[in-house]
Amino acid sequence: MRGNQPMALNIETFSNVRGGNCVFKALGHPLARAPAGALRTRLASGPLCVYDPLGHLAAYAEFYDLAGVELHDVYVQRMEDLARPVLGHPVRPVTDLASASPGSRLLVAAFDAERYVRQIRHLLAPETEIMSFDGLRIPDRMLTNPRHYLDPLNFATNFAFLRDAGGHHTRVTLCDYWSGYGATSPQLWLCLFDADGATLAEWDERPGAPGATLCIDSREVRRRFGLGDYAGSLFIHAHGIAGHDVVKYALDTYGDDETVLSCTHDANAWPAERYAGLPAPDHGESVVLWIQNSHPIPIPAGAIGLSEMGSTEIRSLDHAIAPFATCTLDVARLLPESRWPAQIEVHAGKYFVRPRYEVRDHASGRVRLAHVNVERTDLQPDPTLASFSEHLGKGYLLPAPVLPVADWSTVVLPTPMSTAQYELPLVVILYDASGAEVLRRPLGRVPRGGCFPLDCDALLREGAVALPSGYGHVELVYDLHEGAAADGWLHALFRYRQRRSGHAAESSFGAHIYNLPVTYRNEPQSYAGPAPGLSTRLFLRIGAAPGDTLCHLIYPTSGAWHPHSSTRIVLHDSAGAEVAQREVAIPASGSLLWRYRALFDEHERERAGDGAYVVVRDVTCRLFGYHGLVHGERAFCLDHMFGF
């Protein structure tokens, strides 16, 4: 189906000013679905007036269609909202309740509604039936703050992809970082949906100790609940937490055959209108998008679609997707003519969290899993950015490993990630692990649909240079000469291929400002507290034997900072206890590639045991890290690490 931009859900999910919105999470929570449906039935049983003090009625109507409800007057609290019709109805100030005839039924479209009812009780007839969203509340035991239902800490939720079928398995690894912020009893409520959206299992998990890891393995879930093959969504709800309302995790895919190996990470808990950075298939490949409906309503036919970057033609999916269901979409089905290095935009309509995609190589049978990123629809070029270059140095930069060139190839593909990015003025810089700049090449003002892959082998060869350490890292930065503009939302896809096996992996990320004491638009970003973020706390899960875990740490600098890092690599067992640590010094603009089995001896690894993890800690600078697993020369995986 071809058409215009599909209509997105009228819900607010994430604001780059206010952060994540949890109203849609409260209304669409799996445990709210049944009572919300019951409320919908009650609303349709007679004439109804609505008091909408917070503007939440529209979000409820997106999830639970109000067609057929005999809706009369709608009242609001804020005088500023009088010019804003609600569901096509003109609105009135709530003071009009005193002189109006609202009938005998009133919906207060809010959670924690008692305070709103108390404010207007004297305006209502004694026999008025009052309803609210409080009947949709999930159990109090699952609330971090029962006194304020829409506290973001009450809806620290996320979706993971979980598959156990066809020799493919998945492992989700979480770390209790909430205890480090004062949580005393963090827990998880988990709900597994199959491909059709039916509930396969519900259960609770509790970390064994503060700082402990939790591993949810698809094979163990299969055994525990007596399941057959499945591929679907794992809904994760963390409660009893502190500090972070974000559920972060590492996701590994592995197989009965060691050549099945990928890693990625959390899905970003706020469904977006668009995603980008989806690569078109190369010859001999297929690219399959995994769509996980994140809501308790179907995705209508035609509501989501694909378009090639730089094109205005959208080709839409012609069938519906059931609530909480998971389906695959072969890119070639909608865009059969698109080939690498073309990029695909995903028109998602806020129906699903950041999706993963799978690249399948038909000749070798190998597959790899990665994710796309949120394409911003609210950005415009920032004309002031160039004027601050004296203070910001390189400013926004995007770092990624150049793995040892003797064993791996490294390819960089810039990916437009805003609807207003009509061109990307770019420079590519290669650094040796020692921090020495080896090559710098301006790329010009790359048009939106004209991004091309940068092969680091070719860059080194054409520049007649080498990496003395054998490895290093690559940075993309803005080239803001001659009136070029940028917005700070610079992204790229990094593709790696193991020369001997042909196995590939890819990762994508966005730019930040690194290691400057001045701030600009909340950069250098901080995970905890206000900017600038000038310290490091990264999580590294340790993979299961016989593979080895690798970690590539990069010390990027937008300007002059400490000449070396003061980095501690701390090994913990699965219960969070410290087992051993190493101290390393990484040169500014340099990097360090290390492996678990080489850095920690056999005795330390035995003490750490299964479920071990590493925290990379530095209080002097902000590092960026990538992690992966290596199965000798047969397979590997790579993705960026998460911090907390």
Side-chain angles (χ1 to χ4, degrees):
M1 181 188 300
R2 304 185 183 192
N4 298 320
Q5 172 68 43
M7 185 67 69
L9 282 173
N10 182 26
I11 58 174
E12 183 181 357
T13 58
F14 189 88
S15 164
N16 282 280
V17 176
R18 296 181 298 277
N21 184 294
C22 60
V23 175
F24 82 94
K25 291 187 175 186
L27 293 170
H29 194 285
L31 293 179
R33 176 165 46 166
L39 174 63
R40 168 64 177 77
T41 300
R42 288 181 64 193
L43 299 181
S45 64
L48 179 75
C49 289
V50 177
Y51 176 33
D52 189 20
L54 301 171
H56 294 170
L57 180 64
Y60 176 85
E62 288 292 275
F63 287 157
Y64 308 102
D65 186 10
L66 293 181
V69 174
E70 190 179 343
L71 186 60
H72 287 201
D73 294 326
V74 178
Y75 299 89
V76 296
Q77 184 177 65
R78 288 165 30 103
M79 297 299 290
E80 302 96 307
D81 292 338
L82 290 178
R84 174 183 62 86
V86 175
L87 303 181
H89 290 258
V91 299
R92 303 170 62 179
V94 71
T95 49
D96 281 5
L97 278 171
S99 58
S101 300
S104 60
R105 305 172 72 246
L106 178 72
L107 170 67
V108 179
F111 292 97
D112 295 331
E114 179 54 36
R115 65 185 296 263
Y116 300 105
V117 173
R118 192 166 56 244
Q119 294 164 357
I120 63 169
R121 176 79 70 176
H122 65 291
L123 303 176
L124 304 174
E127 68 275 12
T128 301
E129 178 189 1
I130 301 174
M131 296 165 281
S132 74
F133 291 161
D134 285 328
L136 282 57
R137 288 172 64 107
I138 62 177
D140 278 1
R141 70 173 183 85
M142 295 174 57
L143 300 178
T144 298
N145 180 7
R147 299 181 62 184
H148 177 36
Y149 191 68
L150 293 181
D151 186 326
L153 290 177
N154 285 340
F155 292 95
T157 64
N158 212 330
F159 288 85
F161 173 66
L162 209 66
R163 170 174 55 178
D164 204 85
H168 291 248
H169 315 287
T170 41
R171 183 181 294 115
V172 178
T173 304
L174 304 99
C175 178
D176 169 25
Y177 45 81
W178 297 289
S179 290
Y181 291 93
T184 57
S185 58
Q187 299 180 56
L188 301 178
W189 180 78
L190 302 159
C191 183
L192 177 62
F193 298 100
D194 69 9
D196 297 323
T199 300
L200 290 176
E202 297 178 23
W203 73 102
D204 295 287
E205 294 276 3
R206 183 193 297 266
T213 55
L214 274 173
C215 182
I216 302 161
D217 191 288
S218 65
R219 292 186 303 179
E220 168 57 25
V221 171
R222 181 178 186 138
R223 285 192 295 266
R224 181 175 178 178
F225 296 103
L227 305 177
D229 284 1
Y230 64 88
S233 284
L234 178 68
F235 180 80
I236 306 170
H237 183 144
H239 55 97
I241 60 174
H244 274 285
D245 64 333
V246 179
V247 177
K248 300 185 178 185
Y249 58 80
L251 176 65
D252 292 300
T253 64
Y254 65 101
D256 297 339
D257 184 329
E258 285 187 359
T259 62
V260 178
L261 190 65
S262 288
C263 61
T264 179
H265 60 283
D266 58 272
N268 189 313
W270 299 280
E273 189 170 345
R274 289 201 200 189
Y275 299 98
L278 176 64
D282 207 342
H283 294 284
E285 290 181 343
S286 59
V287 174
V288 174
L289 188 69
W290 285 90
I291 298 172
Q292 298 172 260
N293 186 350
S294 304
H295 300 308
I297 56 170
I299 302 175
I304 59 177
L306 304 178
S307 63
E308 192 166 300
M309 184 64 69
S311 171
T312 59
E313 181 184 8
I314 302 169
R315 301 186 185 176
S316 301
L317 190 62
D318 58 4
H319 65 79
I321 302 173
F324 295 122
T326 297
C327 78
T328 56
L329 172 58
D330 191 326
V331 168
R333 177 183 170 189
L334 297 185
L335 298 171
E337 69 282 3
S338 292
R339 286 287 178 268
W340 169 267
Q343 300 177 46
I344 311 301
E345 291 180 278
V346 182
H347 300 264
K350 301 183 182 179
Y351 281 101
F352 48 90
V353 295
R354 179 171 58 195
R356 295 167 178 86
Y357 63 89
E358 200 164 50
V359 182
R360 301 172 179 175
D361 186 308
H362 301 306
S364 67
R366 294 176 182 262
V367 299
R368 61 184 182 271
L369 196 73
H371 68 80
V372 296
N373 286 305
V374 173
E375 183 176 11
R376 296 276 296 274
T377 59
D378 61 339
L379 278 184
Q380 292 296 326
D382 180 1
T384 65
L385 189 57
S387 64
F388 292 138
S389 60
E390 177 185 353
H391 307 289
L392 298 180
K394 289 183 290 184
Y396 291 93
L397 62 88
L398 175 52
V402 176
L403 293 179
V405 295
D407 301 313
W408 279 276
S409 66
T410 302
V411 172
V412 181
L413 178 65
T415 54
M417 205 59 63
S418 162
T419 53
Q421 285 179 345
Y422 298 108
E423 63 177 16
L424 293 174
L426 298 176
V427 175
V428 60
I429 312 173
L430 290 178
Y431 291 95
D432 183 62
S434 66
E437 181 180 315
V438 171
L439 180 144
R440 179 182 293 248
R441 174 166 297 179
L443 302 178
R445 296 159 77 156
V446 183
R448 178 176 180 81
C451 291
F452 50 88
L454 305 167
D455 187 326
C456 289
D457 286 352
L459 289 173
L460 291 168
R461 185 170 55 250
E462 292 165 9
V465 294
L467 296 172
S469 302
Y471 73 94
H473 82 275
V474 58
E475 291 180 5
L476 286 179
V477 301
Y478 287 122
D479 186 356
L480 298 180
H481 296 98
E482 300 177 0
D487 55 22
W489 200 244
L490 171 61
H491 284 69
L493 182 149
F494 304 95
R495 180 171 285 186
Y496 303 90
R497 191 172 299 276
Q498 196 173 36
R499 298 188 192 277
R500 188 175 294 269
S501 70
H503 195 91
E506 53 200 60
S507 179
S508 59
F509 199 70
H512 290 287
I513 297 173
Y514 286 90
N515 294 309
L516 287 177
V518 296
T519 63
Y520 181 71
R521 295 186 182 273
N522 209 37
E523 295 275 356
Q525 186 187 79
S526 174
Y527 284 116
L534 300 172
S535 62
T536 302
R537 187 186 286 111
L538 297 173
F539 174 80
L540 172 67
R541 62 88 187 88
I542 300 300
D548 198 2
T549 301
L550 64 83
C551 179
H552 194 128
L553 297 174
I554 303 171
Y555 178 8
T557 58
S558 294
W561 197 240
H562 303 300
H564 291 85
S565 73
S566 298
T567 306
R568 290 187 299 122
I569 300 175
V570 187
L571 175 63
H572 298 259
D573 65 19
S574 62
E578 183 177 325
V579 174
Q581 68 172 281
R582 299 288 186 271
E583 294 187 2
V584 297
I586 304 171
S589 293
S591 58
L592 174 69
L593 176 61
W594 58 274
R595 293 198 184 186
Y596 176 53
R597 293 179 179 273
L599 192 64
F600 295 100
D601 63 37
E602 183 177 2
H603 176 65
E604 292 166 332
R605 299 196 307 270
E606 287 179 354
R607 287 175 56 206
D610 295 335
Y613 68 96
V614 161
V615 171
V616 178
R617 188 76 175 108
D618 199 310
V619 298
T620 68
C621 64
R622 180 70 173 269
L623 305 176
F624 196 67
Y626 288 76
H627 70 94
L629 302 174
V630 180
H631 286 175
E633 295 181 339
R634 300 188 64 194
F636 80 106
C637 60
L638 192 75
D639 192 26
H640 59 84
M641 300 162 70
F642 68 76
F644 54 90

